[in-house]
Amino acid sequence: MVRDENKEREIARGLLKIKAVFLRPDEPFTWASGIKSPIYCDNRLILTAPEVRNVVENEMAETIREFYLQCEKLMGTATAGIAHAAIAAHILGMPMGYVRSSSKSHGRNNRIEGELKSGDKVVVIEDLFSTGGSSIEAVKALREAGADVLGIVSIFTYNTNKAEVNFREAGVDHRSLCTIETLIDEAEKEDYIRTGEGEKIIKWLREI
């Protein structure tokens, strides 16, 4: 669910403009998992595009204000969600921290960085939902540390069936600023891809 359809479309156009999302139905990318994919998303490019960044981070903050009113602290996923959590936390005047993919092997062996007290009401900030696996692992770590995780907000989602199943089974509320369906609609309007190619991409994502 998105908060504002007009903002969603603005974000979609921004992601396409700065090439944060690539669509290549005929020349698939290879994900880190080895999966051949017709789409690749690199939201780190948002950080170097101030105009797009301002829209994304302000919409992130507004989403938290509207849907997670009780939120006391933001926690970014390492590494992609850290910067976005920091900027959104600055806008909201909230503390933030981040969750590592695994505990450090030195020092205090922390997995969660930043002060976290039992009962803290937290929203996790993620850059992208694909299958939801890494996001849910971050939630589990926070819950084990005593946090009350209200939900996860991502910039973009592939809207895969697997992610929906994983979030539902983990009991995690989740929202995104922009969906693959809207991005593809804007991509076809702006001639980033040919009409009809978007259907191939959606079909592929539904079959993951």
Side-chain angles (χ1 to χ4, degrees), residues 82-94:
I82 295 175
H84 301 293
I87 298 170
H90 177 73
I91 294 169
L92 292 164
M94 285 184 185

Side-chain angles (χ1 to χ4, degrees), residues 141-201:
L142 289 164
R143 285 175 172 169
E144 287 171 2
D148 178 4
V149 180
L150 304 179
I152 311 177
V153 179
S154 76
I155 297 168
F156 185 65
T157 178
Y158 291 147
N159 261 350
T160 62
N161 292 329
K162 189 168 185 178
E164 288 303 310
V165 170
N166 287 341
F167 284 129
R168 184 169 60 251
E169 289 181 348
V172 180
D173 189 67
H174 60 286
R175 299 175 188 278
S176 296
L177 308 187
C178 182
T179 65
I180 182 63
E181 290 83 1
T182 296
L183 185 129
I184 281 177
D185 188 45
E186 291 297 323
E188 290 184 342
K189 286 180 183 177
E190 301 293 326
D191 294 325
Y192 284 92
I193 56 174
R194 295 186 297 273
T195 301
E197 286 185 328
E199 291 181 13
K200 295 180 184 178
I201 296 171

Side-chain angles (χ1 to χ4, degrees), residues 70-75 95-96 112 114-123 142-143 145-151:
Q70 294 181 305
C71 180
E72 299 169 326
K73 188 171 296 181
L74 301 186
M75 282 286 170
M96 66 79 63
I112 298 169
E115 184 185 36
L116 183 70
K117 294 176 289 189
S118 181
D120 278 353
K121 297 185 183 303
V122 169
V123 170
L142 289 164
R143 285 175 172 169
D148 178 4
V149 180
L150 304 179

